[in-house]
Amino acid sequence: MKEALKLYGKYFSIHLRSQMEYKASFIMTTIGQFLVSFSALLTIRFMFLRFYEVDGFTFPEVLLCFAVVLMAFSLAECFARGFDTFASVLGNILVRPRGAVFQVIATKIDLSRLGRLLQAILVFCYALPQSGVSWTADKILTLTLMVAVGVIVFTCLFVIYAAICFFTT
């Protein structure tokens, strides 16, 4: 396990250096990712300008849920999006000594997706005090688990998408 983490750290370093080679492109892509998810945020805002409550949920409460889902999705997309290219690397991966899942995860780490994570964190910081929730230890644990399990769920969806290529390739 320690060896795999060390190898993943090397892959992460390689991806980071390659994406920082063209800093302006990385920054513009990150800003683009921020703005793409910003349109969903505007949709929620415009809906709440028209309807003040949706099934008993207020705007800050919905923003809190939006931030949790966006945070989970952006983390999964950043670190597990290598499954998009699974069909093209399938033959190479199966003959290498490492596990297939590790190789796929390590082949593509898209740090420009952190623009969405930045927006999720900003919305989260706004919605947290505005939601009116009295935060206790169990609620903080639940919120943390919501993000962690959300990352797992989105990663599993990417894996399912990749598994389909066994039948279509």
Side-chain angles (χ1 to χ4, degrees), residues 84-105:
D84 278 349
T85 60
F86 187 70
S88 63
V89 296
L90 181 61
N92 292 334
I93 285 179
L94 295 179
V95 297
R96 293 183 184 167
R98 288 276 171 212
V101 173
F102 175 78
Q103 290 180 61
V104 172
I105 287 176

Side-chain angles (χ1 to χ4, degrees), residues 132-154:
V133 176
S134 58
W135 293 102
T136 59
D138 59 336
K139 289 181 182 177
I140 293 171
L141 178 66
T142 301
L143 194 61
T144 306
L145 288 175
M146 285 172 62
V147 174
V149 172
V151 171
I152 293 169
V153 166
F154 283 120

Side-chain angles (χ1 to χ4, degrees), residues 59-134:
F59 180 62
E61 292 169 341
V62 171
L63 280 185
L64 188 61
C65 292
F66 173 78
V68 167
V69 171
L70 185 60
M71 198 176 301
F73 179 71
S74 62
L75 285 169
E77 192 176 37
C78 182
F79 296 105
R81 207 52 186 200
F83 289 103
D84 278 349
T85 60
F86 187 70
S88 63
V89 296
L90 181 61
N92 292 334
I93 285 179
L94 295 179
V95 297
R96 293 183 184 167
R98 288 276 171 212
V101 173
F102 175 78
Q103 290 180 61
V104 172
I105 287 176
T107 57
K108 185 176 181 184
I109 301 170
D110 193 358
L111 297 173
S112 66
R113 305 296 187 192
L114 295 177
R116 289 183 184 186
L117 181 63
L118 175 64
Q119 184 188 41
I121 291 170
L122 291 174
V123 170
F124 189 75
C125 289
Y126 170 78
L128 209 56
Q130 298 292 322
S131 64
V133 176
S134 58

Side-chain angles (χ1 to χ4, degrees), residues 45 47-60:
R45 179 66 186 141
M47 181 180 69
F48 274 94
L49 286 175
R50 175 92 170 127
F51 308 104
Y52 303 107
E53 253 184 28
V54 175
D55 201 25
F57 290 99
T58 63
F59 180 62

